[in-house]
Amino acid sequence: MPRTQDTLASNETIDTAYPNEIQVVEIQRDERPPLYEFRAPLYSPKDTDTTPRWENPHHARMYAAVYVAVGTFREEKTGRRGVPPEVQRDGQEATIAYLTTQDGISTDWLTNFYELPEQRIYEYRSRIRARAEEHGEENDD
């Protein structure tokens, strides 16, 4: 469950925050790069024993942006490499942005699979980030 800065563990800080307690938390580790963990009140990961964590902060931030931009999603029963239905329903932009956060899926793979120029992949990710930020601003008013 998401926490406020005051209730985080001593090795945790909020990296990115959206309304409704959706956040990416940076977790410092001894002599290793930090981990970035996605947290949201109603979030249920694919595997109940794992919480989405990345060593790459950009992947964690993109995952949170997709979550906010599509209006949240559920990963249960999507399979190991499946895409949540809410993400797919949102369209190719959201699907590609979501896939960039998954292990083993690179921009090169996406450009080949979707037969799109690399710049289009970057545009899609940028649009998803902008949508998430707009959603956050709407909730701040």
Side-chain angles (χ1 to χ4, degrees):
M1 173 167 210
R3 301 179 227 170
T4 64
Q5 189 68 49
D6 295 335
T7 61
L8 293 170
S10 63
N11 66 332
E12 298 177 337
T13 56
I14 296 173
D15 176 83
T16 306
Y18 288 103
N20 303 319
E21 298 180 64
I22 298 167
Q23 52 195 216
V24 174
V25 175
E26 180 179 347
I27 303 168
Q28 293 296 323
R29 305 183 295 171
D30 293 333
E31 300 180 30
R32 295 189 320 203
L35 285 176
Y36 295 85
E37 182 175 286
F38 174 76
R39 297 180 183 168
L42 301 176
Y43 180 77
S44 296
K46 289 181 187 179
D47 180 347
T48 56
D49 296 331
T50 60
T51 300
R53 289 183 174 175
W54 297 263
E55 286 189 357
N56 183 328
H58 303 294
H59 290 171
R61 293 174 194 140
M62 179 56 64
Y63 189 91
V66 171
Y67 189 84
V68 170
V70 304
T72 74
F73 55 81
R74 297 173 52 131
E75 286 200 319
E76 309 89 61
K77 300 181 184 175
T78 60
R80 186 178 171 142
R81 284 201 165 184
V83 176
E86 298 87 351
V87 174
Q88 286 181 333
R89 274 194 296 273
D90 197 81
Q92 190 173 43
E93 240 175 50
T95 300
I96 287 175
Y98 173 83
L99 288 172
T100 64
T101 70
Q102 304 302 300
D103 286 339
I105 297 183
S106 67
T107 300
D108 288 338
W109 184 88
L110 289 165
T111 60
N112 289 322
F113 185 80
Y114 284 98
E115 299 179 349
L116 294 170
E118 188 174 302
Q119 186 58 35
R120 181 67 47 89
I121 304 297
Y122 296 132
E123 288 171 13
Y124 285 175
R125 294 191 304 212
S126 179
R127 289 183 200 157
I128 290 295
R129 280 191 295 271
R131 284 176 50 198
E133 289 171 12
E134 286 172 13
H135 184 74
E137 290 170 3
E138 289 171 7
N139 287 329
D140 287 345
D141 291 341

